[in-house]
Amino acid sequence: MAQSMMLYWCSGSPPCWRVMIALEEKLLQGYKHKHLAFDKNEHKCEEVKALNPRAQVPTFKHGDIVVNESLAACLYLESAFKSQGTRLIPDDPTEQALVYQRMFETNNLQQKMYDVAFYEYYVPEGERLESALKRNKESLVAELKLWDGYLEKMGKGSYLAGKSFTMADVVCFPVIAYFPRLHCPREHCPRLMEYYEMLKDRPSIKASWPLEWLEKPEGPDTLKNL
Protein backbone atom coordinates (compact mmCIF):
# COMPACT_ATOMS: atom_id res chain seq x y z
CA MET A 1 0.00 0.00 0.00
CA ALA A 2 2.80 2.45 0.90
CA GLN A 3 4.36 1.92 -2.54
CA SER A 4 1.40 3.77 -4.09
CA MET A 5 2.24 6.87 -2.02
CA MET A 6 4.52 9.76 -2.96
CA LEU A 7 5.66 12.53 -0.64
CA TYR A 8 7.51 15.64 -1.75
CA TRP A 9 9.21 17.17 1.28
CA CYS A 10 11.87 19.52 2.60
CA SER A 11 13.97 18.64 5.62
CA GLY A 12 13.35 20.72 8.74
CA SER A 13 9.89 21.84 7.66
CA PRO A 14 7.42 21.21 10.52
CA PRO A 15 4.53 20.60 8.06
CA CYS A 16 6.59 18.00 6.18
CA TRP A 17 7.89 16.40 9.35
CA ARG A 18 4.42 15.88 10.81
CA VAL A 19 3.27 14.01 7.70
CA MET A 20 6.37 11.80 7.91
CA ILE A 21 5.66 11.07 11.59
CA ALA A 22 2.06 10.16 10.72
CA LEU A 23 3.26 7.79 7.99
CA GLU A 24 5.58 6.09 10.47
CA GLU A 25 2.89 5.82 13.14
CA LYS A 26 0.49 4.25 10.63
CA LEU A 27 3.18 1.68 9.67
CA LEU A 28 3.40 2.98 6.12
CA GLN A 29 7.17 2.78 5.80
CA GLY A 30 8.36 2.21 2.25
CA TYR A 31 6.40 5.08 0.71
CA LYS A 32 8.07 6.83 -2.21
CA HIS A 33 9.46 10.26 -1.52
CA LYS A 34 11.49 13.07 -3.02
CA HIS A 35 13.65 15.30 -0.83
CA LEU A 36 13.70 18.88 -2.13
CA ALA A 37 15.97 21.74 -1.06
CA PHE A 38 14.33 24.96 0.11
CA ASP A 39 17.46 27.01 -0.54
CA LYS A 40 17.44 25.94 -4.19
CA ASN A 41 13.68 26.53 -4.56
CA GLU A 42 13.30 22.91 -5.63
CA HIS A 43 9.84 22.79 -4.05
CA LYS A 44 8.69 25.14 -6.83
CA CYS A 45 9.62 22.65 -9.55
CA GLU A 46 7.16 21.66 -12.28
CA GLU A 47 6.76 18.18 -10.80
CA VAL A 48 5.35 19.67 -7.59
CA LYS A 49 3.33 22.36 -9.39
CA ALA A 50 1.58 19.67 -11.43
CA LEU A 51 0.12 18.34 -8.17
CA ASN A 52 0.07 21.45 -6.03
CA PRO A 53 -0.62 24.82 -7.69
CA ARG A 54 0.67 26.56 -4.56
CA ALA A 55 4.10 24.97 -5.17
CA GLN A 56 4.44 24.15 -1.48
CA VAL A 57 5.53 21.17 0.55
CA PRO A 58 4.42 18.77 1.75
CA THR A 59 2.78 17.59 -1.44
CA PHE A 60 1.33 14.13 -0.91
CA LYS A 61 -0.17 11.70 -3.39
CA HIS A 62 -1.79 8.32 -2.68
CA GLY A 63 -2.88 6.61 -5.87
CA ASP A 64 -5.07 9.19 -7.59
CA ILE A 65 -5.69 11.15 -4.38
CA VAL A 66 -3.66 14.32 -3.84
CA VAL A 67 -3.63 15.97 -0.40
CA ASN A 68 -1.37 18.98 -0.02
CA GLU A 69 -2.02 20.65 3.33
CA SER A 70 -0.14 18.90 6.14
CA LEU A 71 -3.06 18.72 8.58
CA ALA A 72 -5.30 17.41 5.80
CA ALA A 73 -2.71 14.79 4.86
CA CYS A 74 -2.35 13.65 8.48
CA LEU A 75 -6.11 13.37 8.95
CA TYR A 76 -6.44 11.56 5.64
CA LEU A 77 -3.86 8.97 6.71
CA GLU A 78 -5.68 8.36 9.99
CA SER A 79 -9.01 7.99 8.20
CA ALA A 80 -7.71 5.74 5.42
CA PHE A 81 -5.69 3.53 7.78
CA LYS A 82 -7.70 3.82 10.98
CA SER A 83 -7.13 0.24 12.12
CA GLN A 84 -3.43 0.18 11.21
CA GLY A 85 -0.60 1.25 13.49
CA THR A 86 -1.15 3.84 16.20
CA ARG A 87 -4.70 5.10 16.68
CA LEU A 88 -4.19 8.86 16.43
CA ILE A 89 -7.76 10.16 16.74
CA PRO A 90 -9.79 8.76 19.66
CA ASP A 91 -13.43 7.71 19.26
CA ASP A 92 -14.69 9.58 22.30
CA PRO A 93 -16.05 13.01 21.20
CA THR A 94 -14.70 14.76 24.30
CA GLU A 95 -11.21 13.37 23.73
CA GLN A 96 -11.47 14.14 20.02
CA ALA A 97 -12.34 17.75 20.75
CA LEU A 98 -9.13 18.30 22.71
CA VAL A 99 -7.00 16.57 20.06
CA TYR A 100 -8.46 18.80 17.34
CA GLN A 101 -8.10 21.89 19.51
CA ARG A 102 -4.38 21.28 20.10
CA MET A 103 -3.80 20.35 16.45
CA PHE A 104 -5.18 23.60 15.11
CA GLU A 105 -3.77 25.69 17.96
CA THR A 106 -0.32 24.62 16.83
CA ASN A 107 -0.56 27.19 14.03
CA ASN A 108 -0.36 29.94 16.67
CA LEU A 109 2.78 28.50 18.26
CA GLN A 110 4.43 27.90 14.89
CA GLN A 111 3.73 31.40 13.53
CA LYS A 112 4.86 33.16 16.70
CA MET A 113 8.07 31.11 16.73
CA TYR A 114 8.71 32.00 13.07
CA ASP A 115 8.06 35.70 13.82
CA VAL A 116 11.04 35.69 16.18
CA ALA A 117 13.38 32.94 14.97
CA PHE A 118 13.18 33.92 11.30
CA TYR A 119 12.46 37.63 11.65
CA GLU A 120 15.47 38.66 9.55
CA TYR A 121 14.61 36.09 6.89
CA TYR A 122 11.02 37.23 6.43
CA VAL A 123 11.38 40.98 6.98
CA PRO A 124 13.50 43.01 4.50
CA GLU A 125 16.40 44.85 6.13
CA GLY A 126 14.94 48.31 5.55
CA GLU A 127 11.66 47.34 7.23
CA ARG A 128 13.06 45.80 10.41
CA LEU A 129 12.24 47.49 13.70
CA GLU A 130 13.52 46.62 17.16
CA SER A 131 10.13 47.55 18.57
CA ALA A 132 8.40 45.04 16.25
CA LEU A 133 10.83 42.27 17.16
CA LYS A 134 10.32 43.09 20.85
CA ARG A 135 6.55 42.72 20.43
CA ASN A 136 7.05 39.43 18.60
CA LYS A 137 9.21 38.12 21.44
CA GLU A 138 6.64 39.14 24.06
CA SER A 139 3.90 37.42 22.06
CA LEU A 140 5.97 34.24 21.81
CA VAL A 141 6.77 34.21 25.53
CA ALA A 142 3.04 34.52 26.30
CA GLU A 143 2.27 31.68 23.86
CA LEU A 144 4.88 29.43 25.47
CA LYS A 145 3.39 30.14 28.88
CA LEU A 146 0.00 29.07 27.56
CA TRP A 147 1.32 25.72 26.26
CA ASP A 148 3.30 25.13 29.44
CA GLY A 149 0.07 25.64 31.34
CA TYR A 150 -1.70 23.05 29.20
CA LEU A 151 0.91 20.43 30.07
CA GLU A 152 0.96 21.44 33.73
CA LYS A 153 -2.80 20.90 33.89
CA MET A 154 -2.54 17.51 32.14
CA GLY A 155 -0.03 16.23 34.70
CA LYS A 156 3.52 14.94 34.54
CA GLY A 157 4.24 12.47 31.74
CA SER A 158 1.17 13.49 29.75
CA TYR A 159 0.99 14.02 26.03
CA LEU A 160 -0.61 17.17 24.61
CA ALA A 161 -4.16 15.83 24.69
CA GLY A 162 -4.05 13.19 27.40
CA LYS A 163 -2.27 10.03 28.46
CA SER A 164 -1.98 8.65 24.91
CA PHE A 165 0.07 9.79 21.91
CA THR A 166 -2.37 11.34 19.41
CA MET A 167 -2.51 13.42 16.27
CA ALA A 168 -2.02 16.49 18.45
CA ASP A 169 1.51 15.26 19.18
CA VAL A 170 2.14 14.35 15.54
CA VAL A 171 1.24 17.88 14.50
CA CYS A 172 2.86 19.88 17.29
CA PHE A 173 6.10 18.06 18.12
CA PRO A 174 7.95 19.28 14.98
CA VAL A 175 7.29 22.87 16.08
CA ILE A 176 8.25 22.25 19.71
CA ALA A 177 11.51 20.63 18.57
CA TYR A 178 12.68 24.00 17.27
CA PHE A 179 12.80 25.56 20.72
CA PRO A 180 15.73 23.59 22.16
CA ARG A 181 17.44 23.61 18.76
CA LEU A 182 17.33 27.42 18.57
CA HIS A 183 18.42 27.81 22.23
CA CYS A 184 15.16 28.98 23.77
CA PRO A 185 15.75 29.54 27.52
CA ARG A 186 14.32 26.57 29.38
CA GLU A 187 12.73 28.80 32.02
CA HIS A 188 10.23 30.07 29.46
CA CYS A 189 8.84 26.58 28.82
CA PRO A 190 10.04 23.94 31.31
CA ARG A 191 7.03 21.66 30.74
CA LEU A 192 7.41 21.82 26.97
CA MET A 193 11.08 20.91 27.33
CA GLU A 194 10.16 17.91 29.51
CA TYR A 195 7.65 16.92 26.83
CA TYR A 196 10.34 17.28 24.14
CA GLU A 197 12.71 15.02 26.08
CA MET A 198 9.96 12.45 26.53
CA LEU A 199 9.15 12.27 22.82
CA LYS A 200 12.40 12.89 20.94
CA ASP A 201 13.40 9.21 20.97
CA ARG A 202 10.02 7.85 19.90
CA PRO A 203 10.67 5.56 16.90
CA SER A 204 8.45 7.51 14.47
CA ILE A 205 10.16 10.77 15.41
CA LYS A 206 13.70 9.38 15.27
CA ALA A 207 13.00 7.75 11.89
CA SER A 208 11.89 11.08 10.41
CA TRP A 209 14.37 13.39 12.19
CA PRO A 210 15.52 16.25 9.90
CA LEU A 211 18.63 15.29 7.97
CA GLU A 212 20.60 18.46 8.65
CA TRP A 213 19.78 18.24 12.35
CA LEU A 214 21.54 14.88 12.46
CA GLU A 215 24.63 16.49 10.93
CA LYS A 216 24.41 19.64 13.03
CA PRO A 217 22.33 19.09 16.21
CA GLU A 218 22.40 22.74 17.31
CA GLY A 219 20.96 25.55 15.25
CA PRO A 220 21.49 29.32 15.46
CA ASP A 221 20.68 31.02 18.78
CA THR A 222 17.79 33.08 17.39
CA LEU A 223 15.56 32.26 20.40
CA LYS A 224 18.25 32.78 23.02
CA ASN A 225 17.29 36.31 24.02
CA LEU A 226 13.55 36.00 24.56
Side-chain angles (χ1 to χ4, degrees):
M1 182 61 72
Q3 282 296 309
S4 62
M5 297 178 178
M6 180 69 178
L7 176 68
Y8 297 86
W9 61 287
C10 289
S11 184
S13 156
C16 293
W17 193 359
R18 63 177 59 123
V19 175
M20 297 169 82
I21 293 172
L23 285 161
E24 292 288 331
E25 291 288 342
K26 301 311 292 184
L27 304 179
L28 292 166
Q29 297 90 345
Y31 59 91
K32 297 175 184 176
H33 63 94
K34 190 166 187 177
H35 177 213
L36 305 170
F38 268 133
D39 56 359
K40 297 177 182 177
N41 275 331
E42 289 179 349
H43 59 296
K44 298 186 182 295
C45 67
E46 293 304 316
E47 191 175 348
V48 171
K49 285 181 180 178
L51 298 171
N52 187 346
R54 295 185 184 275
Q56 295 175 340
V57 287
T59 290
F60 178 71
K61 188 172 187 287
H62 177 207
D64 295 326
I65 300 169
V66 178
V67 191
N68 292 321
E69 291 295 322
S70 65
L71 295 185
C74 287
L75 290 170
Y76 167 77
L77 289 168
E78 174 63 15
S79 177
F81 302 96
K82 190 173 182 178
S83 61
Q84 183 169 315
T86 307
R87 186 71 178 275
L88 297 172
I89 302 290
D91 284 330
D92 181 77
T94 302
E95 295 175 4
Q96 267 187 29
L98 185 57
V99 171
Y100 291 140
Q101 175 69 29
R102 296 293 178 260
M103 284 175 61
F104 289 96
E105 262 189 301
T106 297
N107 287 331
N108 296 294
L109 181 62
Q110 179 174 315
Q111 188 58 55
K112 290 176 182 180
M113 184 267 287
Y114 282 5
D115 288 345
V116 175
F118 306 115
Y119 182 76
E120 293 188 1
Y121 176 82
Y122 287 115
V123 181
E125 187 174 359
E127 298 176 20
R128 296 172 194 162
L129 295 170
E130 281 300 316
S131 58
L133 181 57
K134 181 175 181 289
R135 285 195 301 272
N136 291 353
K137 288 181 177 180
E138 291 170 350
S139 182
L140 178 57
V141 168
E143 185 72 20
L144 287 170
K145 184 177 180 181
L146 189 65
W147 285 86
D148 242 42
Y150 291 158
L151 285 170
E152 181 73 31
K153 186 177 180 180
M154 299 299 292
K156 194 171 181 62
S158 175
Y159 296 96
L160 288 177
K163 297 302 181 183
S164 299
F165 183 90
T166 68
M167 192 67 80
D169 305 289
V170 170
V171 168
C172 199
F173 179 84
V175 177
I176 292 171
Y178 265 88
F179 289 94
R181 176 169 173 78
L182 301 183
H183 304 271
C184 177
R186 188 180 179 91
E187 61 264 26
H188 286 309
C189 50
R191 295 291 176 266
L192 277 180
M193 291 304 95
E194 288 174 6
Y195 169 84
Y196 168 80
E197 291 295 333
M198 182 177 78
L199 257 68
K200 66 183 177 66
D201 292 324
R202 188 176 177 89
S204 63
I205 290 171
K206 287 185 72 174
S208 54
W209 200 260
L211 300 174
E212 69 271 22
W213 294 20
L214 293 171
E215 299 166 3
K216 191 177 180 182
E218 291 194 6
D221 60 0
T222 49
L223 295 180
K224 183 178 180 180
N225 297 313
L226 280 184

